[in-house]
Amino acid sequence: MEELISNLKVQLVESLNLEDVTPADIDTEAPLFGDGGLGLDSIDALEIIILLEKHYGLHIADPKEGKDIFYSVRTLAEYITANQK
Amino acid sequence: MGSYVIGIGVISAIGNNVEENFESLVSKRTGISALTHFSTSHDVPVGQINLTNDQLKEMLGLPSGKAYSRTALLGMVAVKEALRDAGVDPHSGLRIGLISSTSAGGMDLSENFYVEMKNKEDGGRLRDVVSHDCGDSTEQIASALGIHGFLSTISTACSSSANALMLADRLLNHDQLDVVVAGGIDPLCKFTINGFNSLMILDKELCRPFDSTRAGLNLGEAAGFLVLQREKPKNGKFYCRLAGYANANDAYHQTATSPNGDGPFLAMSGALKRAGLSPEDVDYVNVHGTGTGNNDQSEGMAMRRLFGEKMPRFSSTKVYTGHTLGAAGGIEAVYSALAISRDVIFPTFNFKNRIEELAMDPETEVIPHAGVKVVMSNSFGFGGNVSSLVFSAE
Amino acid sequence: MKCYIRNMSAISPQPTFATDSFLSSAVVPSADEKCLRAIEPDYKVCIKEAGLRRRMSHVIKMGVASALNCVEGANGTLPDAIITATGLGCLADTEKFLQSIIENDERLLNPTSFIQSTFNTIGGQVALLLKCPCYNFTYVHRGFSFESALLDAMMQLEDGDASNVLVGGIDEVTDTEFRVMERMGFWRSGAKMGEGAQFFLLSSQPTSQDVAQITSLRTFLASTSDGTEVQSFLDSCGLTIKDIDCVLLGESGDAKMDATLLSWKKSLPVGKMQATFKHLCGEYQTASSFGVWCAANLLRYQTVPDALRPVGKAEGLRRILVFNSYRNNNCSLFLLEKVD
């Protein structure tokens, strides 16, 4: 799990062009979207869907499904662990 | 104030001219079907015009050997029809201008060029890339039809051609031109299909505007143009007046419109204000109504704020044509002109399930003798661009 | 129809951004340089919102930074209309998305480059950053793009629909575009490719700090030109060529591409002061915005820098005529006057 979490952080920084943010800056438990976290938006949600499919072979058909899954790096990692074959 | 619409022209998935479009609209006949003009790996229905580029060239009497973007060809068909309908002769000495708009420009040809150039450094035919920019189609149309006045092209995503009509009216007010042909064009191409697919907002079925089960839009291709002049025609022949308009920016997010429809509200109320009309005067709204979750929610909220409990009749004609992007404002302005001049409302015939939060239902049947004197036409786009036009009978 | 330039900003291949000097340290590119890239400021300083900046491509950053700088320098006067002009828009993002369609065979495409490829991206981002829900247009017509934007702005100001309008011309160089145009025969006969972002905050009412005023403009196609356009333009302004102190020419350096402009230039009275600007910014669809920026500065500083290659003499600089031509197709004329 910890390895997955640190990989995810690197992938997020890369694919979302998070300037001025290093993987270490990302709080595993903090909300990714909205205020108080990384401040990601709906375009980022689409990018994360691509990221999940490219790196983990997981397909999310409806961005709305992603809402709970994308809450934090922790929830993302849990989803990947639970669904990856 | 407000210039007169003296001619209209349109080509879309539901017809190659105004009469064919009208027939489809009042027969509840959609143009949404499978894509056949080119191959794509996405299985989505589209509003395709069933004429190849060669057939379009033949129709227009153009040399078959010369390369024209589909954008230019579709535009020529609609502009030619609009000029003829208006009885305007480009060689009459009038100062005639053309304001076109497009979101894809000549991408239908240049996307092929890029494939070949990617394979080989000097690959690809240059004639496929010279028409890439948006101004190309405008100049091709002007040159083919002998329009020698002011030329310009606007690109504000899905609100482009509504904005072309605004500029047209302003140019006429300032006596920069005697007659303006204004509207917009967009062809189907791989670029936009893949783009909208990457946004996950393409419905695999017929789109369902303002329906609680809506799941996205269908893309379409079209060209729609209107001929405008400042003075009331002496022969009394005109469709309607462009009575008011407003353009605003939602300034909320790059792609999403604000949930309360702040920008759309500004555009709609601004257009009415310019027309000197109040919300109760509106008989019919041709909504942007793409069928995406975000658009219809935001547009509906703005309409609720503007019209309150007195919601006028409204419908989205995108169930016929698909969302034709840069052409949408143009063809829907043509449909608005027809709604007034023939006194009829065109339905969103497949609407079934109300969005409870909005509690507003589009018309599902053709309504003849509907008493249509004032029509509002909405066009919203990426980048927060929102535009509303108001047409009136007098 | 006239307007006042309250402030302006330029990011160009010359040191023109956030400086009080006017081309005094400009470097005239050598004949071998075929492609002029903009000198870019530190965008982290110019565009503070990291959340939006992180997605911005080169052309968006250029445009947004120039626009924000223009507004900030006008004591924060917010525009009530934002009008941008671009020939090819966000070309690098367009190419990037096309590339990914081809490489990934239409699968798993990142939406960001598509979203940012639309021509109105810069105008939209400026509205978002300035929180301006006002009129927002983008003109995309080759060498008439900036001209259309300026005409629209001047009409709005005259109508009283806006009091302050932000107008800008932006285009970028990409390697692919350079190569494609080279294959078409460009950049071989003296013309250089260029890029830049020039923004102007225009007002209907004068203030004590105005740079200059723009009093008229006109566009015409070279293909339909009968050679009388400049004359009739000046007639419509109630002027003759004698009233023009300096003619600023947008010559690309390629005689074929400048044919209409050069043929008019021959008719100029002997000794009439002339200068050129495109050797400094390069050729692109909205390069005329750099020309207007230069003309306004000529009126502000009342001196013609050597970098503009002046020929002839002027008594003083009160009126400047800018004649731009893009690929011997789109021609435009601008009249700028000194503010009193």
Side-chain angles (χ1 to χ4, degrees):
Chain A
M1 186 62 117
E2 288 315 304
E3 195 189 337
L4 176 60
I5 284 172
S6 67
N7 286 344
L8 265 174
K9 287 179 182 175
V10 173
Q11 287 155 355
L12 284 172
V13 168
E14 238 169 56
S15 69
L16 306 181
N17 280 325
L18 298 176
E19 285 182 5
D20 308 333
V21 176
T22 65
D25 295 336
I26 303 177
D27 181 344
T28 311
E29 317 296 334
L32 291 170
F33 290 79
D35 300 333
L38 279 181
L40 303 185
D41 66 7
S42 57
I43 301 174
D44 296 306
L46 294 169
E47 292 287 356
I48 295 174
I49 291 175
I50 301 281
L51 185 159
L52 285 181
E53 188 148 359
K54 266 189 184 160
H55 293 280
Y56 303 98
L58 295 172
H59 182 67
I60 292 176
D62 182 356
K64 274 184 235 143
E65 280 174 44
K67 216 178 163 203
D68 297 331
I69 305 167
F70 300 167
Y71 178 79
S72 64
V73 174
R74 165 91 51 210
T75 59
L76 256 177
E78 284 168 358
Y79 174 78
I80 294 167
T81 316
N83 290 280
Q84 221 176 9
K85 288 175 190 117
Chain B
M1 81 179 228
S3 40
Y4 290 85
V5 177
I6 59 166
I8 53 178
V10 63
I11 178 166
S12 77
I14 56 169
N16 300 335
N17 53 48
V18 170
E19 284 315 315
E20 287 180 17
N21 271 265
F22 183 76
E23 267 312 301
S24 298
L25 287 166
V26 294
S27 314
K28 302 204 274 188
R29 193 161 58 228
T30 183
I32 305 296
S33 63
L35 174 68
T36 57
H37 281 332
F38 53 88
S39 68
T40 162
S41 53
H42 306 298
D43 178 25
V44 287
V46 292
Q48 172 182 273
I49 294 165
N50 287 319
L51 290 168
T52 63
N53 284 10
D54 283 338
Q55 288 169 320
L56 287 164
K57 274 189 234 173
E58 208 187 310
M59 224 171 111
L60 290 157
L62 295 170
S64 59
K66 195 168 181 263
Y68 294 94
S69 68
R70 191 166 175 82
T71 320
L73 294 169
L74 296 176
M76 284 179 206
V77 172
V79 171
K80 197 174 176 181
E81 183 185 24
L83 280 173
R84 186 179 297 160
D85 183 41
V88 170
D89 175 9
H91 306 287
S92 59
L94 288 171
R95 294 171 303 161
I96 304 175
L98 174 64
I99 313 299
S100 186
S101 57
T102 175
S103 72
M107 184 60 89
D108 63 300
L109 294 183
S110 47
E111 64 188 14
N112 299 326
F113 176 86
Y114 271 85
V115 174
E116 287 168 47
M117 198 181 64
K118 205 175 156 351
N119 294 336
K120 202 161 155 250
E121 175 91 0
D122 59 351
R125 294 177 305 180
L126 290 173
R127 62 178 198 173
D128 284 345
V129 78
V130 290
S131 53
H132 174 80
D133 68 293
C134 295
D136 175 81
S137 50
T138 311
E139 290 186 10
Q140 295 279 3
I141 298 164
S143 148
L145 301 178
I147 298 173
H148 295 311
F150 182 76
L151 303 177
S152 191
T153 313
I154 293 171
S155 193
T156 50
C158 310
S159 60
S160 302
S161 43
N163 293 342
L165 288 160
M166 294 186 204
L167 179 71
D169 183 70
R170 216 178 272 281
L171 288 164
L172 291 168
N173 280 339
H174 283 261
D175 194 30
Q176 297 272 330
L177 293 163
D178 300 311
V179 172
V180 186
V181 189
I185 322 157
D186 255 324
L188 281 167
C189 57
K190 264 191 189 179
F191 189 87
T192 39
I193 290 181
N194 277 285
F196 282 86
N197 188 67
S198 77
L199 300 175
M200 302 180 84
I201 51 172
L202 290 181
D203 197 336
K204 290 199 187 315
E205 314 285 328
L206 180 64
C207 64
R208 297 181 294 284
F210 279 87
D211 195 298
S212 62
T213 67
R214 68 195 183 282
L217 56 88
N218 306 136
L219 286 172
E221 57 183 353
F225 282 86
L226 295 86
V227 181
L228 296 106
Q229 72 175 33
R230 186 82 192 89
E231 278 75 41
K232 189 170 183 172
K234 290 194 182 69
N235 62 6
K237 189 194 165 236
F238 63 95
Y239 289 88
C240 56
R241 275 174 59 216
L242 176 55
Y245 47 82
N247 168 290
N249 192 292
D250 198 38
Y252 171 74
H253 181 257
Q254 255 183 295
T255 53
T257 320
S258 57
N260 287 325
D262 294 337
F265 179 81
L266 278 177
M268 288 192 271
S269 53
L272 280 175
K273 193 176 161 210
R274 194 178 178 94
L277 296 169
S278 49
E280 302 87 72
D281 295 321
V282 177
D283 301 306
Y284 164 61
V285 183
N286 186 303
V287 294
H288 187 52
T290 55
T292 64
N294 179 241
N295 177 81
D296 296 1
Q297 158 76 24
S298 167
E299 187 173 16
M301 285 299 280
M303 285 170 72
R304 269 274 165 248
R305 282 165 68 184
L306 182 66
F307 296 110
E309 291 310 307
K310 292 183 192 144
M311 187 64 68
R313 287 166 163 165
F314 74 95
S315 68
S316 166
T317 44
K318 291 192 171 67
V319 289
Y320 293 90
T321 59
H323 186 3
T324 59
L325 308 177
I331 66 170
E332 287 161 27
V334 168
Y335 298 161
S336 299
L338 286 171
I340 290 175
S341 67
R342 301 193 185 177
D343 197 13
V344 59
I345 288 173
F346 314 115
T348 301
F349 52 81
N350 64 340
F351 172 81
K352 283 198 185 70
N353 310 288
R354 172 182 271 203
I355 303 170
E356 285 308 332
E357 190 192 350
L358 295 174
M360 51 194 278
D361 303 339
E363 300 304 321
T364 54
E365 295 298 333
V366 178
I367 308 175
H369 317 297
V372 184
K373 300 258 186 264
V374 175
V375 175
M376 174 181 277
S377 176
N378 288 341
S379 298
F380 310 144
F382 271 13
N385 257 285
V386 287
S387 301
S388 281
L389 305 173
V390 172
F391 296 94
S392 68
E394 288 301 325
Chain C
M1 204 158 56
K2 67 173 179 183
C3 63
Y4 299 88
I5 303 176
R6 182 163 293 187
N7 195 27
M8 53 187 197
S9 176
I11 294 178
S12 75
Q14 301 298 333
T16 51
F17 188 70
T19 167
D20 279 332
S21 73
F22 173 39
L23 298 176
S24 54
S25 52
V27 178
V28 177
S30 72
D32 312 335
E33 287 178 74
K34 301 286 186 203
C35 187
L36 310 181
R37 308 265 181 172
I39 300 170
E40 297 184 272
D42 181 353
Y43 290 124
K44 284 186 184 173
V45 177
C46 309
I47 310 167
K48 293 181 183 71
E49 290 76 357
L52 278 171
R53 190 185 63 231
R54 69 191 158 99
R55 291 198 191 111
M56 291 182 184
S57 66
H58 163 65
V59 73
I60 303 174
K61 281 182 191 152
M62 262 199 312
V64 169
S66 181
L68 294 181
N69 181 260
C70 183
V71 172
E72 279 160 20
N75 301 322
T77 304
L78 282 180
D80 33 31
I82 296 170
I83 311 177
T84 56
T86 178
L88 289 170
C90 304
L91 189 59
D93 275 318
T94 307
E95 289 171 0
K96 192 172 164 190
F97 193 70
L98 262 176
Q99 186 103 343
S100 72
I101 292 176
I102 301 165
E103 279 173 1
N104 298 347
D105 199 20
E106 302 191 57
R107 287 195 64 254
L108 296 179
L109 307 183
N110 300 92
T112 303
S113 55
F114 173 69
I115 291 164
Q116 312 244 98
S117 75
T118 49
F119 292 86
N120 59 332
T121 303
I122 296 166
Q125 301 265 291
V126 172
L128 206 49
L129 286 163
L130 292 177
K131 298 184 177 61
C132 281
C134 58
Y135 184 94
N136 198 302
F137 260 42
T138 300
Y139 289 94
V140 292
H141 193 110
R142 301 187 163 169
F144 290 160
S145 308
F146 178 68
E147 289 71 4
S148 301
L150 186 56
L151 177 63
D152 187 356
M154 289 171 80
M155 289 194 294
Q156 301 238 14
L157 290 169
E158 188 169 272
D159 290 344
D161 286 338
S163 307
N164 299 288
V165 183
L166 183 64
V167 174
I170 321 105
D171 269 296
E172 71 177 325
V173 163
T174 71
D175 292 340
T176 309
E177 186 200 8
F178 180 81
R179 279 203 310 276
V180 170
M181 289 187 75
E182 194 174 40
R183 279 175 60 190
M184 290 178 186
F186 292 92
W187 332 129
R188 287 181 197 159
S189 316
K192 302 173 189 303
M193 190 177 190
E195 65 177 7
Q198 283 71 234
F199 271 84
F200 303 84
L201 189 69
L202 306 174
S203 299
S204 52
Q205 298 303 319
T207 67
S208 56
Q209 290 132 33
D210 296 329
V211 179
Q213 47 184 327
I214 305 177
T215 43
S216 197
L217 86 145
R218 180 168 298 177
T219 62
F220 62 97
L221 283 175
S223 59
T224 57
S225 167
D226 58 8
T228 63
E229 287 81 9
V230 181
Q231 183 64 51
S232 80
F233 176 67
L234 290 175
D235 285 349
S236 73
C237 302
L239 302 171
T240 70
I241 192 70
K242 283 197 195 116
D243 301 311
I244 303 298
D245 301 307
C246 175
V247 174
L248 186 60
L249 299 162
E251 285 173 51
S252 71
D254 179 334
K256 223 173 109 193
M257 290 295 149
D258 301 334
T260 306
L261 186 155
L262 293 176
S263 123
W264 173 76
K265 190 170 130 178
K266 278 193 221 132
S267 72
L268 277 174
V270 179
K272 173 66 62 185
M273 186 173 214
Q274 306 167 26
T276 58
F277 63 88
K278 258 183 203 165
H279 57 287
L280 298 175
C281 68
E283 176 68 309
Y284 55 98
Q285 293 86 343
T286 49
S288 57
S289 62
F290 186 79
V292 169
W293 181 87
C294 288
N297 270 329
L298 288 172
L299 294 164
R300 166 159 55 181
Y301 293 104
Q302 289 292 305
T303 171
V304 187
D306 292 341
L308 290 174
R309 295 179 171 158
V311 181
K313 273 211 162 64
E315 296 287 316
L317 295 169
R318 290 200 56 81
R319 284 195 197 88
I320 300 197
L321 174 68
V322 182
F323 186 145
N324 187 61
S325 132
Y326 179 68
R327 293 166 70 166
N328 204 36
N329 179 43
N330 309 106
C331 298
S332 50
L333 304 166
F334 304 83
L335 182 67
L336 281 88
E337 299 188 40
K338 186 172 177 288
V339 283
D340 298 314

